[in-house]
Structure formats: C-alpha cells, structure tokens
Amino acid sequence: MAEPRSITSKDNPLLVRVRKLVADPGGYRKFGEVWLEGDHLCAAFAQRGGRALQALVSSEGWQQPRLRELAGHAAAVAIVPAELMAGLSTLESPGAIGFVVATPTAAAITPDAPSVLLDRLQDAGNVGTILRSAAAFGFTQVVALKGTAALWSPKVLRAGMGAHFGLRLVEGVDAGALEALRLPLLATSSHAEAALHEVDLPWPCAWVMGHEGQGIAPDLRRRCAMSLRIPQPGGEESLNVAAAAAVCLYESARQRAV
C-alpha cells in the first residue's frame, strides 16, 4: 500500500476537486474522474479488479483494518478528518472511505448483448435502480439515450449499489445509434392487448424504458417488435418506471429459467 498522507485543510486541491465532482452530476465528463463514496461502492469496484487513483479515508475509518485493507486498492491514500470527509458527502451519514477512479472509457454498443435502453429518464434514483435490476436479472448492457440522467453521477452510483461495475454502460447516444443493436426491442404499454406473461419473450432482447412523464418517444416505440401490458389487478394506472423495469427484466429471466 502507498504510504498514506494526512490532509488537514479544506482548501487542499484534492478535496476541492472531489467537492466539484460531488456537486456536478456530469462532472466526471469534465474532470475525467468519478467519486465513489462509501465502503460498499468501493468494495464493489475493488472486487471487479478495479484500482483507484486515490483513496480518502476518515481518521476514524483508518482505525478499522477492513477499511485500511480496502484503501490498499488505490494508488494513493489520504487520511482526512471526519469533518472534512463530511464535506465530500451529500448523505446524512457520510461514508468513512471514498475512491477517486478514472472515468470509464466510453463503450460502444455491443450488438447482441441483452440490453436495457433508457429513453430520457430524468430521475437519478430510477436510473440507478434500473441498473441494479439489469445486473440482477442477467442483462449485461445499458444504453442511455441523450437526455437521460448521467450514469456515473453520485446519485445514480448510490442507487446502483455497485451494479455499474458489472455492466457495459453506453451513454449520450441518439436514437440512430440503436441501429447497431441486433436484438428485438420490447416496450410496455397499459393499452397493449397481450400481457407480459402471456407471450414467449425473445432472448436476447432489449427492453426500452421511457421518460417518467412522457414515456417512450414515438419514433423509438415504432421500432419495438412488441408492446406488452403489465397486469395491475390493484387498479393503478401505471407503475414507476424503475418498478416496471424490474417486472419486465424478471419476467425475461423467469422465462429463460423455465
């Protein structure tokens, strides 16, 4: 492990840089770095073989052998007083460790990878939750169209709970880039005649999840091979997009298992 250094000033250039990453959801594009806060995200990154550029550990956290060992997955380590560590967080209970990692290289679309397409989803929590469901149910690629919340922003990372590191993530593309996919596109609609569980779902496939208020763009919906209804016997008009995604991805996984 690199010899740790102590930081005691809030004006230290490293802390200033991390605060900018925390404050700007798209900051990772400008600075070429991503901030991972908390031991869960840092451990998920390390378990996938990642090596951080920098680890920051609170003075109290440094007393924990587990966090010292985790910090060893970084090229450099800094020990920071708890009050300065709290300044790098938007959480009520700030993490005791964080990693600065290089922004992942922009991926190209893999034509045949089971995929989830995000069409202008605005809510970072929804986006991160969908990434988590994708990883859980065997979908290996997530493609975010322009207008979707930044995939590597702190809020999306927190909601993703480490799913980012097991997925191929493509973001900022326009609808024309989807021509690269060699998969049937599937969508949901409350007006569809066929229910999700009544049809044989193709595999691999690409599920399309649309804007929270506007839904899927009309031109993108026209490309879909199927539009299916999620039964809602409770009588609600619609589901939250992240909940709908989990239902659809689970049904694809269930049919594969059968």
Side-chain angles (χ1 to χ4, degrees):
M1 180 191 297
E3 186 68 25
R5 63 185 175 111
S6 295
I7 293 178
T8 58
S9 170
K10 69 180 180 61
D11 297 320
N12 178 276
L14 173 59
L15 299 190
V16 171
R17 196 165 81 243
V18 173
R19 285 198 294 270
K20 289 180 179 178
L21 288 174
V22 172
D24 183 355
Y28 63 91
R29 297 174 182 140
K30 303 175 189 174
F31 304 112
E33 295 174 336
V34 174
W35 171 242
L36 308 180
E37 182 184 358
D39 59 328
H40 183 92
L41 274 180
C42 293
F45 175 78
Q47 286 166 4
R48 292 281 180 172
R51 183 159 177 79
L53 303 174
Q54 176 78 55
L56 285 83
V57 190
S58 71
S59 303
E60 291 80 358
W62 189 249
Q63 304 308 311
Q64 301 180 39
R66 180 177 63 87
L67 295 188
R68 287 201 302 273
E69 180 181 357
L70 185 55
H73 291 273
V77 180
I79 302 173
V80 183
E83 60 271 19
L84 294 185
M85 199 71 178
L88 308 178
S89 176
T90 58
L91 303 176
E92 290 186 13
S93 300
I97 188 171
F99 280 172
V100 177
V101 306
T103 299
T105 304
I109 291 175
T110 298
D112 57 354
S115 301
V116 181
L117 311 184
L118 307 180
D119 179 22
R120 299 164 295 127
L121 269 68
Q122 303 287 295
D123 185 87
N126 283 338
V127 171
T129 300
I130 291 173
L131 264 60
R132 193 175 178 186
S133 294
F137 295 125
F139 288 77
T140 59
Q141 177 170 254
V142 175
V143 180
L145 275 68
K146 290 177 181 176
T148 297
L151 295 189
W152 292 94
S153 68
K155 287 185 178 180
V156 175
L157 278 160
R158 283 199 299 272
M161 294 290 288
H164 286 69
F165 312 120
L167 294 167
R168 184 176 187 83
L169 301 178
V170 185
E171 66 175 338
V173 302
D174 57 33
L178 302 181
E179 296 292 343
L181 282 172
R182 297 292 179 261
L183 302 172
L185 274 55
L186 311 182
T188 63
S189 170
S190 59
H191 306 296
E193 180 177 343
L196 181 66
H197 63 284
E198 295 173 340
V199 300
D200 292 330
L201 298 176
W203 185 265
C205 67
W207 278 103
V208 183
M209 298 295 149
H211 183 280
E212 288 89 346
Q214 301 168 10
I216 300 169
D219 60 335
L220 183 52
R221 185 173 288 280
R222 284 192 289 270
R223 298 186 188 195
C224 293
M226 291 184 181
S227 188
L228 301 167
R229 172 174 47 83
I230 299 175
Q232 296 175 66
E236 293 300 315
E237 181 180 351
S238 63
L239 290 173
N240 167 275
V241 66
V247 171
C248 294
L249 304 186
Y250 169 76
E251 180 61 19
S252 283
R254 186 193 68 80
Q255 291 194 18
R256 285 180 66 210
V258 172

